[in-house]
């Protein structure tokens, strides 16, 4: 049996798929199988995957009707070989550096940790840049750590920058939610809490594609469904943490909720400014409900400006919220320009 199983869900990525599969085939760690799950593609993606599987016996293709990314990952997991030691997921428009799996598996062999997670770069036709969401948790290498000892790992929510010990993943019994976007966190975050040890690598193990300008429109970004699904993803993590009977999970939930208020919900703010009435209504309804579940008394833990934005949200004063956020961003931009001018003057 191969030591590593890699699951690649595929849906309408004919433009990128071959580059992705080439990067997996070129791994210096060669003892793997790769299960390709065509999730009902309507372009030539399935044909590309089938041709690749025909040319490299480590790759095989599974087909299903379109069910979404979470369902495709779950299907791939169900089709991996029975006795593989490690498990990884790759999104079909992304790539990996050649030594990614060699580095991660050799680390797990050394430490015995339940899984390893590594840094990522964003890339497009212009080149590579650090992934903003991965900078903080992967600033330095830490072996056999835990999310309670490295709190920044609460933002390590992506499925694909990791290699799991198969026995750990299977025993956890947590599969990807189906039918929603932002399905990574309800698996990645609980597994961080369940792990006895996690290896965190500052080295880049994944290249995360940034779609070119024009491929994702502001209309798509401000579709209310995306906001609703993201909040549902947060709800699923909270429900899982609340259901755990161990006393330490009360502290874990409190820490997760704080991160939700200071990092996750603020990702919606500019979309509220740019979006139409439907998006603003969804934001007010969903975020107000979420803040109520967390406990509005916790707003006192936040900065004055963030607290104001949430108070305006809860009061359904979205026009005032938009004005405050615009003024805040102008103020931040002005401060940055002044700092740049002062640095130039000092030189």
């Amino acid at each position: 049996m191969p030591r590593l199983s890699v699951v690649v869900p595929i849906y309408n990525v004919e433009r990128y798929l071959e580059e992705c599969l080439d990067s997996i085939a070129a791994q210096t760690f060669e003892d793997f199988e790769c299960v390709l799950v065509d999730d009902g593609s309507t372009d030539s993606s399935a044909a590309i995957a089938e041709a690749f599987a025909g040319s490299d016996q480590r790759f095989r293709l599974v087909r299903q009707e379109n069910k979404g990314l979470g369902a495709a990952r779950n299907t791939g997991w169900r089709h991996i070989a029975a006795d593989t030691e490690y498990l990884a997921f790759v999104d079909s428009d992304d790539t990996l550096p050649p030594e990614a799996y060699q580095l991660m598996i050799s680390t797990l062999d050394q430490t015995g940790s339940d899984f390893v997670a590594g840094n990522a770069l964003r890339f497009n036709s212009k080149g590579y840049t650090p992934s903003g969401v991965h900078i903080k948790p992967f600033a330095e290498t830490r072996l056999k750590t835990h999310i309670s000892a490295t709190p920044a790992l609460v933002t390590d929510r992506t499925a694909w920058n990791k290699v799991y010990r198969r026995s750990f993943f299977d025993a956890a019994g947590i599969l990807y939610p189906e039918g929603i976007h932002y399905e990574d966190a309800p698996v990645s975050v609980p597994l961080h809490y369940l792990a006895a040890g996690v290896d965190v690598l500052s080295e880049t193990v994944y290249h995360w594609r940034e779609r070119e300008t024009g491929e994702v429109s502001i209309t798509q970004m401000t579709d209310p469904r995306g906001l609703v699904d993201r909040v549902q993803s947060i709800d699923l993590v909270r429900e899982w943490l609340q259901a755990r009977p161990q006393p330490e999970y009360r502290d874990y939930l409190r820490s997760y909720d704080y991160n939700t208020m200071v990092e996750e919900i603020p990702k919606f703010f500019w979309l509220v400014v740019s979006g139409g009435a439907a998006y603003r209504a969804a934001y007010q309804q969903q975020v107000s409900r979420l803040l109520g579940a967390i406990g509005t008394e916790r707003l006192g833990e936040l900065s004055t400006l963030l607290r104001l934005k949430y108070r305006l949200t809860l009061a359904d004063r979205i026009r005032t919220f938009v004005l405050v956020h615009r003024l805040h961003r102008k103020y931040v931009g002005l401060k940055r320009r002044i700092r740049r001018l002062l640095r130039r003057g000092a030189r």
Side-chain angles (χ1 to χ4, degrees), residues 10-11 31-32 47 65 84 92 94 122 144 157 165 167 189-190 200 203 208 231 242 281 285 307 318:
I10 297 168
Y11 180 71
D31 190 10
F32 69 85
E65 295 181 1
T84 50
S92 53
D94 298 333
R122 299 303 308 263
K144 300 198 75 170
R157 302 176 183 187
R165 196 171 295 277
S167 57
V189 175
V200 177
E203 293 93 339
W208 181 14
V231 174
Q242 288 173 319
Q285 180 184 46
R307 189 163 64 247
I318 299 302

Side-chain angles (χ1 to χ4, degrees), residues 282-293:
Y283 164 83
Q284 194 279 326
Q285 180 184 46
Q286 294 293 320
V287 172
S288 294
R289 181 190 57 76
L290 180 57
L291 290 172

Side-chain angles (χ1 to χ4, degrees), residues 45-59:
S45 295
I48 294 169
E50 186 173 26
F52 208 98
S55 64
D56 189 327
Q57 62 181 3
R58 297 173 300 179
F59 292 75

Side-chain angles (χ1 to χ4, degrees), residues 23-261:
S23 77
I24 297 173
Q27 289 296 298
T28 57
F29 183 87
E30 298 179 339
D31 190 10
F32 69 85
E33 65 164 356
C34 186
V35 178
L36 310 174
V37 182
D38 175 53
D39 188 37
S41 295
T42 58
D43 64 1
S44 63
S45 295
I48 294 169
E50 186 173 26
F52 208 98
S55 64
D56 189 327
Q57 62 181 3
R58 297 173 300 179
F59 292 75
R60 52 194 172 90
L61 177 61
V62 176
R63 298 174 185 263
Q64 68 177 28
E65 295 181 1
N66 180 249
K67 298 179 181 179
L69 179 55
R73 286 195 186 129
N74 296 338
T75 295
W77 169 75
R78 294 186 185 101
H79 281 81
I80 62 178
D83 297 321
T84 50
E85 189 176 357
Y86 296 114
L87 171 66
F89 298 93
V90 174
D91 281 0
S92 53
D93 54 349
D94 298 333
T95 66
L96 297 94
E99 297 182 352
Y101 288 142
Q102 186 72 56
L103 172 62
M104 289 193 279
I105 289 175
S106 64
T107 300
L108 288 174
D109 286 343
Q110 170 194 337
T111 65
S113 293
D114 289 318
F115 69 92
V116 58
N119 214 337
L121 295 176
R122 299 303 308 263
F123 78 103
N124 56 27
S125 60
K126 297 178 181 178
Y128 295 81
T129 57
S131 164
V133 299
H134 293 89
I135 288 175
K136 189 175 180 181
F138 298 99
E140 59 180 307
T141 293
R142 295 172 179 261
L143 303 182
K144 300 198 75 170
T145 188
H146 185 262
I147 192 170
S148 59
T150 310
L153 289 174
V154 75
T155 65
D156 176 37
R157 302 176 183 187
T158 49
W160 32 249
N161 63 326
K162 301 171 177 64
V163 170
Y164 293 104
R165 196 171 295 277
R166 168 80 177 280
S167 57
F168 166 74
F169 188 93
D170 288 1
I174 303 173
L175 296 182
Y176 290 94
E178 302 184 4
I180 68 168
H181 298 297
Y182 306 105
E183 70 296 314
D184 293 30
V187 174
S188 298
V189 175
L191 291 183
H192 261 297
Y193 286 112
L194 285 176
V198 175
D199 299 326
V200 177
L201 304 178
S202 61
E203 293 93 339
T204 298
V205 301
Y206 198 83
H207 297 152
W208 181 14
R209 186 179 299 275
E210 184 175 32
R211 295 296 180 94
E212 303 294 331
T213 302
E215 287 191 280
V216 179
S217 69
I218 189 63
T219 302
Q220 290 171 297
M221 292 172 65
T222 54
D223 182 343
R225 182 190 168 187
L227 185 150
V228 171
D229 283 357
R230 192 158 198 152
V231 174
Q232 185 178 353
S233 176
I234 294 169
D235 287 337
L236 290 171
V237 176
R238 297 192 74 253
E239 290 168 6
W240 184 87
L241 290 168
Q242 288 173 319
R244 305 295 294 182
Q246 300 89 334
E248 62 267 26
Y249 277 83
R250 289 194 291 272
D251 292 332
Y252 295 162
L253 176 62
R254 188 171 185 85
S255 175
Y256 179 77
D257 283 343
Y258 181 79
N259 178 264
T260 295
M261 291 189 292

Side-chain angles (χ1 to χ4, degrees), residues 329-342:
R329 299 315 300 169
K330 287 181 180 179
Y331 170 72
V332 171
L334 180 60
K335 282 179 63 177
R336 288 174 179 166
R337 286 194 292 271
I338 291 173
R339 281 198 296 268
R340 286 197 296 267
L341 289 171
L342 289 174

